């Protein structure tokens, strides 16, 4: 079996971060979300991976390389525009050849991996096997209607009146039968070749399509809130390790990963927390579920349940919670009295307390 990993979407819900980079490289616990998927694929025993890339393809190439570090063989497939999952299968036809294949959305986080799903796909063949989970608002997802035997009888993309609550979570196993389906369907009202349309084509032509329910923690990391929630889940499993320097005026409590080259001075760190290389924490309090990237600076501030990307600088900022601060961003506040001076890009959000 091969795998096709999609990493070419626009990530509109994660703007402004995706104005300057791809959402699949945004970090969870200081590791790009894409890497979790690639590691899960390798752990499932799949080694040949086609990576669908778009505008930021070169950034992904630099981060992933040829796949050797993951135990994978990566083939890059260019998708000029994100025209749907079925379109990605269409442009990857040469790579996929006539092999069975997995489709995996590159911004997915699935805590328990996909090894069992891949094993069952091999042991119990079906034209398509879908990983699903109940969700409170199915209108935001592709939705599967499943009979008592686990056969899918209908799939719909973001239906206004869903027939059930089983959402497609972006992990699929297919036989080569899907290639005929993607050639036969037409673009949806959104102008995309929907994978749900291709799956429905398989159903309508009498092929077996099966659903498998997962109870694993899953997020599509499509929004800042999703990213923060996944960061929390990953940090819950963190192993503490202090490779950096902590001075005698500091306190480190709980599971804290301090990378080599990081420095903590006169501060209190309460885990789970991860701090990247080259970062300096001074006269600060870093609370649980915080990820601080490489070469960050935090001074005279308190941060909790937040993510700081590489190079972020926070100074005299009071208390910060549930925030996502971009690369080389600066958050600073002068002593009272003061006036706010803001330089904000499109789609930015700022919450100012009195």
């Amino acid at each position: 079996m091969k795998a096709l990993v999609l990493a070419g979407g626009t990530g509109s819900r994660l703007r402004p971060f995706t104005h300057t980079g791809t959402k699949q490289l945004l970090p969870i616990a200081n590791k790009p979300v894409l890497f979790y998927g690639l590691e899960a694929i390798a752990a499932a025993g799949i080694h040949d991976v086609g990576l669908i890339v778009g505008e930021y393809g070169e950034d992904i190439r630099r981060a992933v390389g040829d796949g050797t570090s993951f135990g994978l063989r990566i083939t890059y497939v260019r998708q000029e525009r994100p025209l749907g999952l079925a379109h990605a299968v269409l442009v990857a036809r040469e790579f996929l050849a006539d092999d069975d294949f997995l489709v995996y959305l590159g911004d997915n986080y699935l805590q328990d991996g996909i090894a069992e799903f891949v094993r069952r796909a091999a042991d119990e063949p079906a034209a398509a096997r879908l990983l699903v989970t109940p969700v409170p608002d199915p209108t935001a997802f592709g939705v599967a209607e499943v009979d008592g035997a686990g056969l899918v009888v209908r799939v719909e993309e973001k239906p206004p009146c869903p027939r059930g609550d089983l959402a497609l979570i972006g992990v699929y196993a297919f036989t080569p039968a899907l290639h005929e389906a993607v050639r036969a369907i037409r673009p949806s009202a959104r102008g995309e070749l929907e994978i749900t349309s291709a799956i429905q084509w398989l159903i309508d032509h009498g092929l077996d399509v099966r659903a498998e329910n997962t109870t694993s923690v899953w997020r599509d990391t499509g929004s800042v809130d999703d990213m923060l929630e996944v960061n929390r889940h990953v940090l819950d499993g963190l192993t503490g390790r202090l490779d950096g320097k902590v001075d005698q005026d500091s306190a480190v409590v709980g599971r804290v990963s301090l990378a080599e080259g990081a420095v903590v001075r006169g501060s209190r760190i309460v885990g789970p927390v991860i701090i990247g290389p080259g970062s300096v924490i001074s006269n600060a309090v870093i609370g649980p579920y915080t990820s601080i990237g490489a070469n960050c600076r935090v001074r005279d501030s308190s941060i909790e349940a937040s993510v700081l990307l590489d190079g972020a600088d926070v100074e005299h900022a009071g208390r910060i919670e549930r925030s996502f601060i971009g690369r080389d961003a600066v958050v600073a506040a002068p002593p009272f009295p003061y006036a706010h001076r803001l330089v904000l890009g499109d789609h930015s959000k700022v919450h100012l307390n009195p």
Side-chain angles (χ1 to χ4, degrees):
M1 181 179 284
K2 293 177 178 175
L4 191 65
V5 178
L6 278 72
T10 57
S12 58
R13 289 185 294 153
L14 278 166
R15 291 172 180 162
F17 303 102
T18 51
H19 283 312
T20 54
T22 177
K23 62 181 177 178
Q24 289 83 9
L25 293 182
L26 288 175
I28 295 170
N30 288 358
K31 182 166 67 176
V33 62
L34 175 62
F35 287 16
Y36 291 92
L38 295 176
E39 289 168 356
I41 288 167
I46 299 174
H47 301 292
D48 285 324
V49 174
L51 197 50
I52 299 288
V53 296
E55 179 182 2
Y56 296 107
E58 288 306 311
D59 292 345
I60 292 176
R61 284 177 185 267
R62 284 192 292 271
V64 176
D66 64 1
T68 302
S69 60
F70 301 93
L72 302 172
R73 293 182 292 271
I74 300 289
T75 299
Y76 290 92
V77 180
R78 175 80 178 185
Q79 186 183 30
E80 293 300 329
R81 294 171 57 201
L83 295 176
L85 272 66
H87 181 262
V89 173
L90 195 64
V91 300
R93 181 68 179 89
E94 182 178 350
F95 164 76
L96 294 170
D98 292 322
D99 295 307
D100 292 349
F101 61 99
L102 182 86
V103 171
Y104 192 103
L105 299 188
D107 59 353
N108 254 349
Y109 173 79
L110 194 60
Q111 187 177 51
D112 296 334
I114 56 171
E116 287 302 307
F117 176 76
V118 169
R119 181 186 62 78
R120 278 187 287 272
D123 291 346
E124 305 169 24
R129 182 175 291 268
L130 321 175
L131 202 55
V132 300
T133 195
V135 295
D137 180 15
T139 62
F141 301 92
V143 177
E145 184 181 351
V146 184
D147 69 14
L151 286 172
V152 180
V153 297
R154 182 190 299 270
V155 289
E156 295 181 277
E157 185 64 32
K158 298 181 174 64
C161 299
R163 294 169 178 262
D165 64 352
L166 293 178
L168 310 181
I169 69 170
V171 180
Y172 315 83
F174 295 111
T175 69
L178 188 73
H179 297 304
E180 185 178 359
V182 299
R183 290 194 302 269
I185 63 174
R186 296 292 177 264
S188 67
R190 301 192 303 168
E192 297 187 1
L193 287 179
E194 310 283 3
I195 199 68
T196 46
S197 298
I199 294 168
Q200 188 63 48
W201 188 96
L202 295 173
I203 296 168
D204 293 343
H205 284 76
L207 289 104
D208 276 0
V209 175
R210 296 188 172 273
E212 183 173 321
N213 204 335
T214 179
T215 57
S216 173
V217 172
W218 161 76
R219 292 289 186 278
D220 70 355
T221 67
S223 70
V224 167
D225 284 344
D226 287 331
M227 293 290 292
L228 291 173
E229 187 63 23
V230 174
N231 188 67
R232 184 182 187 92
H233 278 294
V234 173
L235 289 182
D236 266 333
L238 182 72
T239 300
R241 178 168 176 168
L242 300 179
D243 292 327
K245 295 181 180 179
V246 180
D247 75 3
Q248 61 183 5
D249 296 321
S250 297
V252 175
V253 181
R255 291 171 289 114
V256 174
S257 176
L258 186 70
E260 185 176 357
V263 177
V264 177
R265 302 190 187 106
S267 299
R268 179 176 175 85
I269 317 293
V270 181
V273 166
I274 186 169
I275 300 173
S279 289
V280 178
I281 314 299
S282 304
N283 301 316
V285 176
I286 308 299
Y289 300 109
T290 298
S291 293
I292 296 175
N295 302 311
C296 294
R297 299 289 182 271
V298 180
R299 296 182 294 277
D300 301 305
S301 304
S302 175
I303 300 176
E304 183 173 331
S306 297
V307 173
L308 276 64
L309 274 59
D310 294 352
D313 194 324
V314 178
E315 182 175 8
H316 302 298
R319 185 174 178 84
I320 293 175
E321 293 182 349
R322 293 193 59 78
S323 297
F324 203 93
I325 299 173
R327 292 179 180 86
D328 300 315
V330 176
V331 179
F336 287 96
Y338 64 86
H340 297 295
R341 179 179 183 270
L342 307 175
V343 180
L344 303 178
D346 295 346
H347 309 288
S348 295
K349 294 181 181 179
V350 173
H351 300 275
L352 300 175
N353 293 321

